[in-house]
Amino acid sequence: MPELLNPQEKLTPDTFLRGLWQENPVFVMLLGMCPVLAVTSTTLNAIAMGLATTFVLVCSSLLISLLRNWIPKQVRIASYIVIIATFVTIVDYAIQAISLELYAALGAFIQLIVVNCVILGRAEAYASKQRLHTTLVNSLGMGVGFTLALLALGTVREVLGNGTLLGIPLFGPDFQPWLVMILPPGGFFVLGVWLLLFNWLRQSKVRRAAQFSGAPVDAR
Amino acid sequence: MHAEPLSLIFLNAAIVNNFVLALFLGICPFLGVSGKKETAWNMGLATMFVMLVSSAAAYGINWLLTQLGLEFLRLICYIAVIASAVQLVEMFVKKTSPALFRSLGIFLPLITTNCAILGLALFQTSKEYDFVQSLVYALGAGVGFTLALMLMAGLREKLALARVPSVSQGAALSLMLAGLLSLAFMGFAGLGGGHG
């Protein structure tokens, strides 16, 4: 982790953008896979889950960053978990109050935000070491990156599996929905295909860079 | 729901609604420690043990909190109990088998953040299982988790020798495999008598 090397990171655009691409929690670091796969059968669920996770991530990172000099090192993980669980409880009750329908659709996965490794990972690797404003920007970037990843899965699965986008039918009445895409296996397949795509992009970038510098290209 | 026979609860948790392949709980260890069959087996056992302990504890806590009218503290209490149970397992494994401790590595303390365990506690609460039903449910979930982990490890051991295109190495390939396994498990739908 680069932030371990420079104790107090300066606030740059990269602080935010890293979460979107370079260190995207889902596509690069493969964290928090459970909600990514479970709630992305429709776009709306994906957005709601992304927002809820972002809220918990930002709030708990801020509080942890604020308390970073007071939390003893030995009990830090337990303290982080209690802080995260508090915010998750808030979100849980808030969603219940806003829309019962959404609450039923997301099910246990709202409460399971507690064990989303993205949040604990941020707390441990970033928020517990950095100042308040960089933490805010960085966790916001991670949250947006996570939401985008959920959207990337949710839109593909909803369009293929149901023929709709946000509930609006896209194709004519003759469309035969690809049902398996909104069932559990579809989640694995779509995420697998996205990872394949990103691997391919990364490899072709490396290959291009090698061609420019005249270095031998790995034939694989 | 109370009349649900124990065998059906077990079957439901282990196979029909397999925690990993149908409910997407515990994907991190599923992808992380399924490289070798032996590690997968031990990880499965450790997880099953934590599941049983935390399921029993969660039942007690839920009863107590309902008596006191403090249901909103449920999540925080559950996670605290799970964290302690994991600590217990960690100390036990470290003492009895240092080699296993090393091979499980970071994934042993990470059982705390394994959503299968918190998910189990939350599901048994929402389904209002009694004590015995909860334990059977936990056992089924643990067996299902171990089964999924072992199947995946077996497949990955074979695939380690196969030549695959370089873009599909690593996580992408594992996810495709998981998708196929999940597809196979869909064939069991209906066995357990309705969604559970």
Side-chain angles (χ1 to χ4, degrees):
Chain A
M1 291 265 160
E3 56 260 31
L4 287 180
L5 301 174
N6 51 337
Q8 295 296 314
E9 197 198 5
K10 285 230 175 62
L11 188 61
T12 57
D14 196 43
T15 315
F16 180 75
L17 292 175
R18 224 170 20 206
L20 299 195
W21 181 248
Q22 232 177 318
E23 288 181 11
N24 186 291
V26 177
F27 292 133
V28 179
M29 304 209 286
L30 298 175
L31 292 174
M33 300 303 249
C34 308
V36 171
L37 292 166
V39 299
T40 52
S41 53
T42 70
T43 317
L44 191 65
N45 288 356
I47 294 174
M49 189 67 196
L51 290 182
T53 310
T54 307
F55 172 79
V56 176
L57 178 60
V58 171
C59 292
S60 53
S61 296
L62 276 181
L63 195 59
I64 287 165
S65 172
L66 205 62
L67 297 174
R68 68 185 185 279
N69 295 327
W70 283 282
I71 295 177
K73 232 184 164 42
Q74 294 83 356
V75 293
R76 64 185 196 286
I77 302 285
S79 328
Y80 299 161
I81 289 200
V82 171
I83 290 173
I84 295 168
T86 311
F87 283 110
V88 172
T89 309
I90 295 174
V91 168
D92 186 47
Y93 279 82
I95 293 183
Q96 254 182 86
I98 295 166
S99 163
L100 265 181
E101 202 183 330
L102 193 63
Y103 186 76
L106 293 177
F109 280 92
I110 302 169
Q111 299 186 331
L112 285 175
I113 297 177
V114 181
V115 286
N116 189 327
C117 344
V118 178
I119 298 173
L120 197 61
R122 270 302 92 183
E124 169 72 7
Y126 200 94
S128 59
K129 301 186 177 71
Q130 303 289 337
R131 280 169 304 179
L132 208 56
H133 60 285
T134 43
T135 303
L136 173 68
V137 174
N138 184 274
S139 57
L140 208 57
M142 282 287 161
V144 173
F146 186 74
T147 311
L148 285 180
L150 282 172
L151 264 179
L153 258 85
T155 43
V156 170
R157 288 180 70 186
E158 192 184 341
V159 167
L160 292 180
N162 209 11
T164 59
L165 187 61
L166 286 169
I168 305 157
L170 288 184
F171 309 108
D174 293 337
F175 177 72
Q176 193 67 43
W178 196 0
L179 205 58
V180 83
M181 281 299 157
I182 47 173
L183 293 173
F188 287 114
F189 285 137
V190 174
L191 185 59
V193 170
W194 275 113
L195 287 179
L196 275 183
L197 186 70
F198 286 129
N199 275 351
W200 179 73
L201 281 177
R202 212 170 301 135
Q203 283 190 1
S204 52
K205 202 171 150 193
V206 170
R207 216 172 300 134
R208 261 203 314 278
Q211 270 170 357
F212 274 120
S213 62
V217 180
D218 189 355
R220 280 187 306 151
Chain B
M1 201 57 96
H2 283 282
E4 208 175 340
L6 294 179
S7 57
L8 220 58
I9 294 178
F10 180 81
L11 202 64
N12 237 328
I15 294 185
V16 183
N17 285 308
N18 186 290
F19 265 51
V20 180
L21 296 168
L23 300 178
F24 297 119
L25 296 166
I27 302 288
C28 300
F30 176 64
L31 295 176
V33 267
S34 58
K36 278 209 304 237
K37 264 186 269 183
E38 205 192 333
T39 337
W41 174 246
N42 290 324
M43 182 69 186
L45 288 188
T47 309
M48 200 192 306
F49 178 75
V50 177
M51 275 177 170
L52 281 171
V53 172
S54 50
S55 163
Y59 181 79
I61 289 174
N62 187 42
W63 179 81
L64 192 69
L65 289 181
T66 316
Q67 295 289 311
L68 297 172
L70 293 171
E71 283 96 341
F72 62 91
L73 285 178
R74 195 184 282 148
L75 198 58
I76 297 179
C77 293
Y78 280 3
I79 196 81
V81 165
I82 292 170
S84 345
V86 171
Q87 198 76 53
L88 204 73
V89 172
E90 199 181 341
M91 288 190 311
F92 179 75
V93 172
K94 199 173 181 179
K95 196 90 181 168
T96 51
S97 163
L100 175 61
F101 185 72
R102 267 197 305 279
S103 71
L104 288 177
I106 181 70
F107 286 98
L108 196 55
L110 277 184
I111 297 180
T112 311
T113 55
N114 183 340
C115 24
I117 292 168
L118 186 61
L120 174 83
L122 292 171
F123 283 144
Q124 79 175 36
T125 312
S126 73
K127 291 179 184 192
E128 298 174 356
Y129 281 157
D130 64 27
F131 186 69
V132 180
Q133 282 176 323
S134 298
L135 281 186
V136 171
Y137 190 55
L139 193 67
V143 169
F145 183 77
T146 315
L147 180 67
L149 220 59
M150 285 299 282
L151 285 174
M152 190 69 175
L155 285 173
R156 280 179 68 177
E157 273 186 4
K158 292 275 181 220
L159 266 181
L161 302 170
R163 283 168 57 101
V164 293
S166 61
V167 279
S168 65
Q169 270 164 1
L173 188 66
S174 307
L175 280 166
M176 290 292 178
L177 270 182
L180 290 176
L181 270 181
S182 166
L183 210 53
F185 268 71
M186 265 174 60
F188 293 115
L191 252 188
H195 187 78

